Amino acid sequence: MRNFVLVIAGLVLAVSFAAYGPGSLDATRLDVTPADPRLEALFEPAASVARTERPDFHGAEDLEPGPDGRLYASLADGRIMARDTGGEWTEIADTGGRPLGLSFGPDGSLFVADALRGLMRLTADGWETWIASAQDGGELVFADDLTVLADGRIILTDASGRHGYGDHLTSFLEGDQTGRILMVTAPGEMSQLVGGLGFINGVDHDPMTGLVYVNETWTGRVWQLNPDTSDLDLLIDGLPGYPDNLEFDTGTGLIWVAMPSPRATDLEALHGRPLVKRLAWRWLQLAGLPPLPDTPAMAIGIDTDGHAVIGLRGPVDGAEGITTATLWQGELWTSGLARDGITVFAAPEIAGNNAAPRPAN
């Protein structure tokens, strides 16, 4: 009997150490809605690639049409590039960090959410830091994306309050819900609109209404935010992939949401069992991740009522998924955080019967 008790005590200690010892996963419960199967039909058949531009551009995380008629891209090496309608790319500036989201102010100023340096504005004299990153002694842990409203207010996403750039996988496995939506009104002047979100990511706004749309990546959701009241309303849930950047297209009135990966259902099954996640983390550290889904280019167009109107899926080519999709010059331009080049598709045709039923909230 004594030996049995010792064995049990040893097992309890071993499990406790694995779950809560040094290097353990700070797992939390994360409630997610499964991917809605009714949306899958929007992604068939696979679309053909029209062309790939600049395969030497690595990690164009965001593509943003500028007020000067050019298309801007944020690259992994820190450069901001701009393409004119004739096809020539020009280097605009280099942040010296990792630029992600791009947006232009009412006066045409370029603002950048740089994951390593914070919120920055390009001036004639170089970069001006508005809100510094945590590594530079500031408040932003993971400056991700931004949109500048007509009155100059900036809506900025700080994806996680715990995990910085490059640590998103740990954030996902933890079920990290420390993301924030922030409002910035001037250099150093920042307030929180909403917190407690599961990797809050892409953001853009409808210039006609002033309403803001934001992706919550780990839950597969898109939210609608009133920046004047901080009211956050669910727009759509159950997306078939993890939403990253989004772009509001004024021509169609659609919100284009890029999804770098389909949902990983095996890993999501652990979100409701934090203790199991802690133990699985130890196993993953030894055995590595299970096979992950293919990552073709995936984007979905959603209207402002929350209806999924159209989907795009590119061919499976072994490339990393896309983190941005934007309509420019009559084509759909896509690129990704860890993807080479810019992949261009013909603009999808939007027919009235393309709309899928809105998933139940």
Side-chain angles (χ1 to χ4, degrees), residues 119 130-132 138-140 154 156 158 180-193:
L119 172 62
W130 278 39
I131 307 292
E139 300 181 61
L140 298 177
I154 298 170
L156 173 70
D158 195 14
R180 306 181 292 167
I181 305 174
L182 306 169
M183 180 184 290
V184 181
T185 53
E189 296 184 11
M190 180 182 77
S191 60
Q192 179 173 304
L193 298 179

Side-chain angles (χ1 to χ4, degrees), residues 77-78 94-98 114 116-117 127:
D77 61 12
D94 190 325
T95 68
R98 191 3 171 156
D114 189 294
L116 303 181
R117 299 195 57 193
W127 291 104

Side-chain angles (χ1 to χ4, degrees), residues 12-314:
V12 170
L13 286 173
V15 169
S16 299
F17 182 83
Y20 298 99
S24 61
L25 187 73
D26 188 14
T28 59
R29 181 183 179 88
L30 176 63
D31 294 319
V32 298
T33 302
D36 192 312
R38 294 175 297 174
L39 298 178
E40 294 297 331
L42 295 176
F43 296 89
E44 299 294 341
S48 299
V49 175
R51 66 186 181 282
T52 298
E53 288 205 7
R54 296 302 300 259
D56 58 316
F57 283 2
H58 178 67
E61 199 273 345
D62 192 20
L63 298 172
E64 183 74 14
D68 57 2
R70 295 190 290 180
L71 183 69
Y72 288 71
S74 53
L75 303 188
D77 61 12
R79 289 180 294 162
I80 308 294
M81 306 295 296
R83 183 195 191 276
D84 63 29
T85 55
E88 182 178 352
W89 287 91
T90 303
E91 181 176 340
I92 301 302
D94 190 325
T95 68
R98 191 3 171 156
L100 299 177
L102 308 173
S103 190
F104 291 88
D107 63 354
S109 296
L110 173 62
F111 289 86
V112 178
D114 189 294
L116 303 181
R117 299 195 57 193
L119 172 62
M120 307 172 70
R121 174 177 175 264
L122 184 60
T123 73
D125 298 322
W127 291 104
E128 178 181 76
T129 300
W130 278 39
I131 307 292
S133 67
Q135 73 172 27
D136 289 339
E139 300 181 61
L140 298 177
V141 176
F142 195 152
D144 199 321
D145 200 10
L146 74 166
T147 188
V148 187
L149 305 182
D151 59 7
R153 290 178 296 168
I154 298 170
I155 307 301
L156 173 70
T157 59
D158 195 14
S160 170
R162 287 177 42 80
H163 298 284
Y165 178 72
D167 203 19
H168 57 276
L169 180 59
T170 305
S171 172
F172 169 72
L173 292 172
E174 281 186 358
D176 173 22
Q177 298 159 74
T178 59
R180 306 181 292 167
I181 305 174
L182 306 169
M183 180 184 290
V184 181
T185 53
E189 296 184 11
M190 180 182 77
S191 60
Q192 179 173 304
L193 298 179
V194 185
L197 296 164
F199 207 81
I200 201 68
N201 201 326
V203 58
D204 204 352
H205 75 282
D206 179 349
M208 293 293 291
T209 65
L211 292 174
V212 174
Y213 299 94
V214 193
N215 287 335
E216 187 180 12
T217 302
W218 299 155
T219 62
R221 295 172 183 151
V222 181
W223 296 93
Q224 177 182 275
L225 170 72
N226 184 327
D228 298 324
T229 63
S230 299
D231 289 339
L232 194 66
D233 297 308
L234 184 63
L235 185 72
I236 191 169
D237 201 357
L239 291 177
Y242 296 108
D244 201 283
N245 285 338
L246 60 76
E247 300 287 342
F248 185 88
D249 178 57
T250 56
T252 61
L254 293 182
I255 304 156
W256 279 98
V257 178
M259 296 178 287
S261 169
R263 301 277 286 272
T265 54
D266 291 346
L267 295 176
E268 283 188 0
L270 301 175
H271 281 325
R273 303 173 178 86
L275 176 59
V276 176
K277 274 204 292 188
R278 288 175 176 271
L279 297 175
W281 171 248
R282 294 299 193 187
W283 171 252
L284 293 175
Q285 287 178 311
L286 296 173
L289 287 170
L292 297 176
D294 291 323
T295 55
M298 286 182 65
I300 191 167
I302 301 163
D303 68 22
T304 54
D305 291 322
H307 297 103
V309 174
I310 193 165
L312 177 136
R313 176 174 60 87

